[in-house]
Amino acid sequence: MTPADLSRTVLHAVRRAVDEDALRAPVPARVRVERTRPGGSGDYACAVALQLAGPAALPALEVAAILRERVAAEPGVGRVEITGPGFLSFTLDAPAAGDRAVLDAVREQGLAYGHGDALREELLQFHHAREVRAAVTAHAVRRLVVAQGARVRVSCEEASDPDWARLGVTVDAHGTAPVPLTGIRPVPAGVTAGELLERLGPDAARWGLLRPAGHDRAALGPELLVQGEANPLFRVRYAHARARALTRGAALLGFTAGHAPYAETVPDSESHAGPAPSAEPLPDSESHAQHTSGAGHAPHTPYGEGPLPYDGAARPLLDLIADHPGVLLAAARHRAPDRVARQLEAVAHAFFDFHDSCPPLPAGDEKPSAAHRARLALAEAAGTVLAGGLSLLGIRAPEHL
């Protein structure tokens, strides 16, 4: 069960309680579910009972008890607890089952993973100045809200700069609007589109304009072109390219992605000690120098010979992929493409941590195993999330770097 699934499950429980007359309160349009903070109880929590207590004229603890009874029986929910003044805390069944559902969703939806219809009832009209950062931001916001089902129209105060087209920007209308519209007003870039394109090219220019929050100045220097880990754009695109190279390497070795062969991710305390064995270089230009080396093999799994599929390094990456739809929706609601950029940076960082700790390709004479197939599935999902996020920002995701 993904966070989006859990949110829908809780909302369904509210509707049932209202339909059964156990709760007399308006049904909210959505229920916000958040990952439990460190030290908290369960996997996720929500405050919907506190939200409904006033309209229902009932104590929040009583509302929480009504909802707990209806959520606890749902598939995928292991335990529901009431904490504090009326928070609902959820512990999901079989962590690996939830992880599998997330990876399946990524594989089935592809680059559209995280898209939805939460904004399907909205007709939005954005207006911006004749300034390159405002134009690029409005274009990215358009893509974000359309991915959530909204209909959008974008207008500019004056005629568009012809160079905006080379940045992928389109504008529907020009001139002063007869009625007030939603303004897109980031801090101006201080340069023209033509200057940015000459110095940086379209991809680095868009990243530089979109990565900072709208109220911050955009850093548009040559660091955006650096081919190294210090450049977040390079790191994000390199993580995507590496994920694609893993798929090609696995095909040459005769295997494809698959699910983890047992119930749940291995905790840190049970993962193998010492560094992971380095992988054989991929053919031709697809080689990637592993940051880890050493001989040792992981302990045997209960399902036969071979390394364990995951260790603790997989958990952050799995969680980020599961949270991705919520990040995209929040970015659309807040008109904040910088949230997507930060999410992609986090996914790239977690991908490399996972990649180096749990190599998806066998090393040396090692044979491909179920563990390698499971690792490859997670690596491929990360690559898909990175490509989809870059696409929403209007930035290319090359297969090779």
Side-chain angles (χ1 to χ4, degrees):
M1 177 176 286
T2 67
D5 292 333
L6 181 57
S7 176
R8 287 190 290 268
T9 297
V10 178
L11 185 59
H12 178 64
V14 174
R15 288 199 186 100
R16 281 180 52 204
V18 171
D19 291 344
E20 295 165 5
D21 206 29
L23 194 62
R24 296 182 179 180
V27 178
R30 62 190 182 102
V31 171
R32 184 175 182 179
V33 173
E34 295 184 331
R35 194 169 294 282
T36 303
R37 294 176 182 176
S41 175
D43 300 315
Y44 295 92
C46 80
V48 67
L50 297 168
Q51 177 186 345
L52 297 175
L58 292 172
L61 289 171
E62 188 172 337
V63 175
I66 291 170
L67 298 178
R68 177 177 63 178
E69 178 183 344
R70 287 160 176 79
V71 175
E74 293 292 331
V77 178
R79 186 172 71 252
V80 183
E81 300 173 272
I82 300 173
T83 60
F87 292 103
L88 288 169
S89 296
F90 309 97
T91 301
L92 303 185
D93 266 339
D99 295 339
R100 182 177 296 118
V102 169
L103 298 182
D104 283 346
V106 177
R107 186 178 66 251
E108 291 164 8
Q109 297 170 30
L111 298 185
Y113 173 67
H115 295 199
D117 60 0
L119 304 184
R120 64 186 179 280
E121 302 297 331
E122 298 195 25
L123 176 58
L124 304 171
Q125 298 188 66
F126 299 132
H127 192 64
H128 63 83
R130 190 180 189 274
E131 191 277 324
V132 63
R133 189 177 182 196
V136 169
T137 301
H139 181 254
V141 171
R142 179 208 288 265
R143 296 170 76 96
L144 288 171
V145 298
V146 166
Q148 301 301 327
R151 291 171 293 164
V152 190
R153 182 178 173 84
V154 177
S155 60
C156 178
E157 292 176 355
E158 304 174 53
S160 299
D161 181 335
D163 285 326
W164 289 357
R166 295 164 60 197
L167 287 167
V169 172
T170 57
V171 178
D172 300 313
H174 303 89
T176 302
V179 295
L181 302 179
T182 302
I184 303 294
R185 300 185 182 90
V187 174
V191 293
T192 67
E195 291 170 331
L196 285 177
L197 287 163
E198 183 178 352
R199 287 196 286 110
L200 300 174
D203 291 328
R206 284 188 69 101
W207 179 272
L209 293 167
L210 296 173
R211 170 57 182 84
H215 54 77
D216 293 329
R217 292 195 175 278
L220 300 168
E223 65 276 2
L224 290 166
L225 299 176
V226 172
Q227 302 289 294
E229 293 187 359
N231 179 2
L233 173 59
F234 174 80
R235 189 170 176 83
V236 167
R237 297 172 88 185
Y238 183 43
H240 166 263
R242 179 58 186 161
R244 296 296 179 246
L246 291 171
T247 300
R248 296 191 295 269
L252 291 174
L253 294 172
F255 75 98
T256 58
H259 287 309
Y262 52 84
E264 54 184 307
T265 302
V266 181
D268 287 329
S269 60
E270 296 178 17
S271 64
H272 62 276
S278 59
E280 285 281 307
L282 292 179
D284 303 325
S285 62
E286 297 176 15
S287 63
H288 170 73
Q290 297 282 355
H291 296 299
T292 55
S293 61
H297 291 278
H300 296 164
T301 74
Y303 291 81
E305 302 288 328
L308 297 172
Y310 303 149
D311 65 13
R315 187 76 264 155
L317 181 56
L318 287 161
D319 289 345
L320 284 164
I321 293 173
D323 291 344
H324 189 66
V327 172
L328 295 187
L329 179 56
R333 289 188 186 280
H334 293 279
R335 324 297 188 227
D338 57 288
R339 295 189 179 206
V340 179
R342 289 197 298 273
Q343 164 77 353
L344 299 183
E345 290 177 24
V347 171
H349 181 81
F351 167 80
F352 284 118
D353 283 349
F354 162 72
H355 175 283
D356 294 344
S357 182
C358 304
L361 299 184
D365 295 331
E366 189 180 11
K367 301 297 183 184
S369 67
H372 294 111
R373 290 192 290 274
R375 295 171 186 173
L376 182 62
L378 179 51
E380 289 181 345
T384 299
V385 165
L386 292 169
L390 286 170
S391 175
L392 285 173
L393 297 179
I395 296 170
R396 294 172 300 162
E399 297 265 330
H400 303 268
L401 276 181

